[in-house]
Structures are given as C-alpha cells and as structure tokens.
Amino acid sequence: MASRKPLVEWEMDKGVELRKRKFKYNTFTEREYKNLIRKNYIIIKTEKGLKYLEEEI
C-alpha cells in the first residue's frame, strides 16, 4: 500500500509547489502528486525542485 501524505509534506520533500491549493482530498500518494504536477500550474523555488522535475516527470 502506498503511503499517503498531506500536500504540504510532498511540496517540502520534492521542492515543487502547486499554485492551486483547493482539492477534494487532503492526502495524496506519490503517483497522485505526480499527476497533480502534470495537470496544474506549478512553482519551483529551489534547485531540489528543478532536479526532481527533470528526473521524475
């Protein structure tokens, strides 16, 4: 079973922030987080976020 974390934790771990903050659910799996990154407007504030986006997405 995949671990579910709040959106804030995913953003801190991965370094990629989502612009839109209202979603139906409060916790997400890593797959769901990746799908949100692909479908929504994102903000990258750190080198860590840029590296994650280049490698994973």
Side-chain angles (χ1 to χ4, degrees):
M1 187 170 141
S3 65
R4 300 184 73 82
K5 295 182 189 177
L7 183 61
V8 177
E9 277 189 45
W10 282 117
E11 290 176 344
M12 288 175 42
D13 288 346
K14 306 300 181 185
V16 178
E17 184 178 323
L18 295 173
R19 183 77 182 246
K20 183 180 175 186
R21 304 293 278 169
K22 293 186 180 181
F23 297 103
K24 187 174 180 179
Y25 302 105
N26 294 332
T27 59
F28 302 96
T29 62
E30 188 167 7
R31 176 183 276 171
E32 292 169 340
Y33 180 70
K34 286 181 183 180
N35 288 336
L36 287 174
I37 289 173
R38 288 186 194 124
K39 295 178 182 178
N40 292 300
Y41 184 78
I42 60 172
I43 300 169
I44 300 172
K45 293 185 176 181
T46 62
E47 289 290 325
K48 181 173 135 180
L50 185 60
K51 197 177 289 186
Y52 174 75
L53 197 64
E54 289 174 348
E55 292 174 359
E56 296 294 325
I57 305 299

